[in-house]
């Protein structure tokens, strides 16, 4: 626990440096990544990250990792060549876009590995191990790195702020953007350059291999929680920041923990949590909704069964015994148990020595369900011209679905009928 | 309808030839439409209707020939021309609301780096009101029905406050309420002297909706007032099957990657009437 | 754009690749292939005066043996060699598969010269030992003896010469050891702490009563994070250590991070110099032989810490 406090007090200068760096880089990658994600170009982001390797390796060859700006320049050149190659291939050959992307990715990455292996064999210790570029080396970030990359990251965010509505339009409807005279080519170049830059600076913290995660995972996660672009961007940035913090914390907590992979672990964890916990679209939400639906179906079926029991009785008896009730409808025992509990909870049912009866509200509810069933059967028989035997199954599920508004329309449509196709009376308020 | 031959036509298409995927889709299309007309671009599937519209809007470049809008190059009159695409052209899961999409009608090169102001917002609201979607303003676009989606696009075009409206099959798959709303709008636009040029899929309603018609079947079958265009012979030509020889020649051109027009005969952007005066 | 030229170049590439993989002709003479520079240097010295000997070193100056991946050319050289020298104990971590396949050839493993008790344990890996045995001249001397014996057995006609070379070289190493002991003893005990990029110097530390700490573990493939930097910086500040060393075969970045961290906390930490840890120095530099490297390292350490 005190490690947490130590960490968050930011007294350790390494912690300050690494957290500042990884958080900033993750935020810019996440925000730029949202646009790549929305343009459905997530795959290109991954290819791009891998394609930066030769450029970075060349810059390294000349500067020995001393100059962050040179590394950025190398990355830009490499990235732009890769994007250009992908475009050329798509335009001039019959290869599909995925093939073009995979091709460029493998060729550039292979070339990069070749260069780094050559460096490894012939260089002095100043040349890096392959691993540093493949998986990042955030823990040994320098302040010169932080200034350079942090500056670039902030510039990216400012540009997105300035051109927000045009970028939004371009990603949503590029035709319309072109039609109203926006410089679509410029916007496309802008987005591509920003993606290259965000990737180039992100490589410092998570490396080439994992960079795609930094771009796309926050965007995909944010999508679960929001319907608006602004919210989505904010949540993605937040996710990126949390991941940067979390990864740095993991690296702070235990020895020999690389920051980059831990950042990606945090992002993946957030994504996993979102898949389960997001409201409405999350798995738990859906399961819960399903459960609610099932319960509704069971209790309404029970009510209907009881009502049928009353209808089949002679006389005005309001009480039914258990067997009399259960013979109206064949349901497994566990559904009866659930149903009873539901009906009792809603106070729709009274019990006395093995006999049951509906309360006022229970009776009204039972009438409602039966009414909806019979109205729907009437609707089906009139408008879908279904034969009498085909009506019941359809109505069985729909009766649980119809809301009071639709009920009103149904009544209007059918002109307040008194009987259903089987000549059973349609119960209104009595 | 203006009978004055010297009035600038709203749209002039001059010997337009276009290919899609190397196959020729439009051969030598040549017609013009006067301002204030309500025109339908008709023809069977694959006759090149959408391609024609996209060429007019500058979203595609023709192989040869050119287009003039209000007597000028599209680039000069973009603000006066508004485009309503097919609904399938966007992903309706994109995280934007109805009002955000309509607001896009107010964007433009002049608005780069500038926020939308109150007059813009008023225009946007009015456009949504006219198309009956104001109550849906904050709804996410994935929660709309087909007809509502269509109306969002139309509202966006209205917000642009253009003179000429180009629409691609706006009546496809919409409910009765939307159909009525669109027709009302069209009536209003006609009263205001605006021009509407629409790709339409249904011949039966074409007679009622439009006063001008352009009948396509890869080449121009007929263009002019709707009664004269939609006669038996024309319809037979357009719908009675493709021109076999033309198709074969087109296929040959695609296979051999042959240009459809030699360089000397490719008519490109000539200076328009009135320019350089 | 037609695809024919692309196809043609691809076929050309493939053809070249196939040709390149063919077995080359055997070169005349005694081919010795050594992995590290230290072993290569030993082979050169021990085989001095023996004709038609060629010694090829796979890992040149500044190359990190922990990370080294053999190329196709290396594998061919190994296949052609008359004798192969490698360190063992997983120093050449990424070449183990290749070594396992070389069993039928004449292979001399440096580590086999030493009894298990003489080896230090690698703390991170169970059942593994620290492979940096050359830093202890007493141990290395034994390795030289082992090497000499086996080379003599492989070249019986030259056995006398090889044995004489071995004796002479062992004497030189003993001399170096005596000198080093003197140097190290002159450093006050409180200051005998060496901080380096990775844990290469444990044998040195053990032999000369030096405390040795590295940022990364025994192998440079080990990851390091904020915790490692912070812990090391804490140690440096607590013990008031004045100097830290970079290594010729390891990127400077990690050590620079520690220096920066110490400086931010107000502690003046200097760069003590470059040590040659897992590789020799460049050709022509004083550290391009084992003895040269040893003398350079010891004097650098002495100067920085005293």
């Amino acid at each position: 626990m005190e490690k947490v406090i130590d960490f968050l007090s930011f007294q350790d200068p390494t912690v300050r440096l690494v957290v500042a760096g990884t958080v900033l880089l993750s935020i810019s990658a996440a925000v730029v990544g949202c646009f790549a994600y929305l343009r459905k170009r997530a795959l290109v982001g991954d290819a791009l990250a891998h394609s930066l390797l030769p450029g970075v390796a060349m810059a390294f060859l000349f500067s020995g990792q001393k100059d962050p700006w040179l590394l950025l320049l190398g990355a830009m050149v490499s990235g732009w060549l890769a994007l250009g190659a992908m475009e050329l291939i798509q335009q001039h050959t019959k290869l599909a876009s995925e093939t073009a992307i995979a091709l460029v990715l493998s060729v550039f990455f292979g070339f990069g590995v070749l260069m780094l292996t050559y460096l490894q064999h012939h260089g002095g210790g100043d040349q890096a191990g392959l691993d540093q570029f493949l998986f990042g080396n955030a823990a040994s970030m320098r302040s010169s790195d932080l200034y350079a990359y942090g500056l670039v990251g902030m510039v990216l965010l400012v540009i997105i702020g300035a051109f927000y509505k045009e970028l939004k339009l371009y990603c949503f409807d590029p035709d319309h953007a072109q039609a109203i005279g926006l410089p679509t080519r410029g916007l496309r170049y802008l987005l591509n350059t920003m993606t290259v830059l965000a990737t180039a600076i992100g490589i410092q913290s998570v490396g080439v291999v994992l960079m795609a995660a930094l771009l796309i995972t926050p965007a995909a996660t944010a999508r679960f929680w929001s319907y608006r672009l602004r919210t989505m961007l904010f949540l993605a940035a937040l996710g990126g920041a949390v991941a940067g913090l979390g990864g740095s914390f993991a690296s702070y907590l235990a020895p020999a923990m690389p920051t980059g992979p831990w950042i990606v672990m945090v992002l993946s964890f957030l994504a996993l949590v979102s898949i389960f916990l997001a409201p409405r679209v999350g798995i738990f939400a859906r399961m819960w909704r399903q459960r609610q639906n099932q319960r509704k179906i069971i209790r309404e079926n029970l009510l209907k069964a009881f009502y049928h029991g009353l209808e089949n009785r002679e006389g005005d008896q309001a009480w039914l015994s258990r067997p009399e009730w259960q013979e109206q409808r064949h349901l497994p025992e566990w559904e009866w148990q659930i149903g009873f509990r539901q009906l009792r909870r809603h106070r729709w049912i009274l019990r006395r020595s093995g006999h049951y009866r509906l309360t006022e509200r229970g009776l009204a509810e039972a009438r409602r369900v039966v009414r909806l069933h019979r109205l729907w059967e009437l609707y089906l028989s009139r408008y879908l011209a279904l034969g009498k035997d085909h009506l019941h199954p359809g109505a069985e599920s729909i009766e649980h679905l119809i809301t009071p508004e639709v009920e009103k329309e149904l009544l209007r449509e059918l002109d307040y009928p008194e009987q259903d196709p089987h000549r059973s009376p349609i119960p209104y308020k009595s | 309808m203006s009978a004055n031959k010297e009035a600038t036509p709203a749209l002039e298409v001059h010997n337009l030839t276009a290919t899609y995927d190397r196959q020729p889709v439009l051969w030598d299309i040549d017609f013009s439409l006067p301002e204030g007309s309500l025109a339908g671009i008709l023809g069977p599937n694959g006759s090149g209707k959408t391609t024609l519209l996209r060429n007019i809007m500058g979203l595609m470049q023709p192989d040869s020939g050119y287009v003039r809008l209000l007597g000028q190059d599209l680039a000069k009159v973009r603000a006066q021309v508004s485009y309503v695409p097919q609904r399938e052209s966007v992903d309706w899961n994109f995280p934007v609301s109805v009002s955000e999409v309509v607001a896009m009608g107010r964007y433009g090169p002049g608005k780069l780096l500038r926020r939308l102001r109150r007059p813009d917002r008023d225009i946007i609201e009015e456009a949504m009101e006219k198309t009956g979607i104001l109550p849906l303003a904050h709804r996410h676009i994935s929660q709309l029905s087909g007809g509502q989606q269509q109306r969002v696009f139309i509202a966006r075009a209205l917000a642009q406050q253009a003179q000429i409206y180009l629409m691609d099959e706006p009546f496809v798959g919409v409910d009765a309420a939307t159909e009525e709303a669109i027709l009302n709008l069209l009536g209003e636009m006609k009263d205001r002297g605006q021009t509407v040029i629409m790709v339409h899929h249904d011949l039966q309603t074409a007679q009622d909706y439009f006063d001008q018609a352009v009948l396509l079947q890869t080449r121009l079958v007929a263009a002019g007032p709707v009664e004269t265009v939609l006669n038996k012979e024309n319809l037979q030509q357009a719908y009675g099957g493709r021109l076999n020889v033309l198709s074969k020649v087109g296929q040959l051109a695609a296979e051999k990657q042959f240009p459809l027009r030699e360089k000397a005969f490719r008519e490109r952007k000539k200076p328009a009437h009135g320019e350089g005066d | 754009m037609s695809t024919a030229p692309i196809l043609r170049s691809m076929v050309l590439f493939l053809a070249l690749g196939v040709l390149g993989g063919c077995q080359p002709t055997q070169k005349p003479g005694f081919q010795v292939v050594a992995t590290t520079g230290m072993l290569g240097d030993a082979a050169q010295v021990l085989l001095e005066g023996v004709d038609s000997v060629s010694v090829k070193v796979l890992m040149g100056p500044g190359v990190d043996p922990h990370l080294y991946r053999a190329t196709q050319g290396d594998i061919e050289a190994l296949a052609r060699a008359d004798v192969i020298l490698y360190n063992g104990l997983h120093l050449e971590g990424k070449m183990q598969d290749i070594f396992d396949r070389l069993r039928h050839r004449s292979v001399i493993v440096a580590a086999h010269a030493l009894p298990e008790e003489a080896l230090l344990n690698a703390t991170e890996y169970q059942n593994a030992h620290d492979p940096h045995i050359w830093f202890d001249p007493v141990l290395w001397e034994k390795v030289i003896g082992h090497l000499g014996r086996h080379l003599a057995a492989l070249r019986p006609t030259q056995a006398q010469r090889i044995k004489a070379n071995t004796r002479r070289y062992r004497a030189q190493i003993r001399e170096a050891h005596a000198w080093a002991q003197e140097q190290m003893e002159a450093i006050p005990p409180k200051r005998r702490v060496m901080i380096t990029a990775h844990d290469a110097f444990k044998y040195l530390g053990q032999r000369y009563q030096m405390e040795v700490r590295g940022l990364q573990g025994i192998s440079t493939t080990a990851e390091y994070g904020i915790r490692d930097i912070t812990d090391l910086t804490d140690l440096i500040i607590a013990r008031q250590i004045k100097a830290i060393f970079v290594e010729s075969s390891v990127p400077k970045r990690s050590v620079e991070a520690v220096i920066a961290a110490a400086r931010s906390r107000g502690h003046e930490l200097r760069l003590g110099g470059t040590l040659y840890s897992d590789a020799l120095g460049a050709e022509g530099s004083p550290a391009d032989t084992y003895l040269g490297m040893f003398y350079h390292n010891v004097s650098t350490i002495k100067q920085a810490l005293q």
Side-chain angles (χ1 to χ4, degrees), chain B residues 228-272:
Chain B
T228 34
V229 169
L230 296 181
N231 62 37
K232 226 190 209 168
E233 297 132 42
N234 288 343
L235 289 174
Q236 187 123 44
Q237 272 200 50
Y239 285 84
R242 320 197 78 189
L243 287 178
N244 281 333
V245 177
L246 195 68
S247 301
K248 287 224 175 78
V249 171
Q251 250 175 355
L252 275 174
E255 271 166 29
K256 297 190 197 271
Q257 294 165 12
F258 218 78
L260 289 174
R261 279 278 187 103
E262 287 185 33
K263 277 214 182 91
F265 290 100
R266 264 187 226 155
E267 301 173 63
R268 285 276 159 85
K269 312 274 168 116
K270 290 200 296 224

Side-chain angles (χ1 to χ4, degrees), chain A residues 23 26-28 30-31 34 157 218-219 222 231-243:
Chain A
V23 165
S26 304
I27 289 180
S28 26
V31 170
C34 280
L157 294 174
T231 321
M232 183 178 160
L233 289 175
F234 175 72
L235 288 177
L238 190 66
V242 166

Side-chain angles (χ1 to χ4, degrees), chain A residues 40 165 168 173 223, chain B residues 91 93 100 111 114 156:
Chain A
K40 312 229 188 306
K165 57 187 199 304
K168 177 169 72 169
D173 192 353
R223 203 65 191 83
Chain B
D91 176 16
N93 278 315
E100 280 180 88
K111 283 274 183 335
R114 278 203 217 120
R156 181 175 74 178

Side-chain angles (χ1 to χ4, degrees), chain A residues 12 121 125-126 139-140 251-252 256, chain C residues 69 225-228 230 248 253:
Chain A
D12 186 322
H121 282 214
D126 248 0
S140 54
S251 179
Y252 179 76
Chain C
R69 283 192 175 87
I226 301 181
R227 170 61 34 199
D228 307 280
T230 301
S248 69
R253 197 180 155 105

Side-chain angles (χ1 to χ4, degrees), chain A residues 46-55 57 78-79 81-83 85-86 89 95 98-116 208, chain C residues 6 10 13:
Chain A
D46 186 28
L48 205 56
H50 285 76
S51 309
L52 297 183
L53 195 61
S78 202
L81 281 176
L83 282 177
M86 282 187 237
I89 293 179
L95 294 177
E98 281 159 9
T99 318
I101 292 171
L103 201 66
V104 171
L105 189 165
S106 16
V107 169
F108 273 70
F109 187 64
F111 187 53
V113 170
L114 204 72
M115 291 189 65
L116 284 178
V208 156
Chain C
I6 301 179
M10 274 171 56
F13 269 121

Side-chain angles (χ1 to χ4, degrees), chain A residues 156-196:
Chain A
L156 287 177
L157 294 174
V158 164
I159 292 183
I160 289 185
F163 291 106
Y164 173 68
K165 57 187 199 304
E166 285 78 19
L167 289 172
K168 177 169 72 169
L169 170 54
Y170 179 71
C171 292
F172 173 61
D173 192 353
D175 281 346
H176 185 253
Q178 192 171 353
I180 62 176
L182 285 180
T184 40
R185 215 198 232 167
L187 285 172
R188 198 174 81 232
Y189 286 163
L190 185 66
L191 272 172
N192 284 344
T193 308
M194 291 202 295
T195 312
V196 170

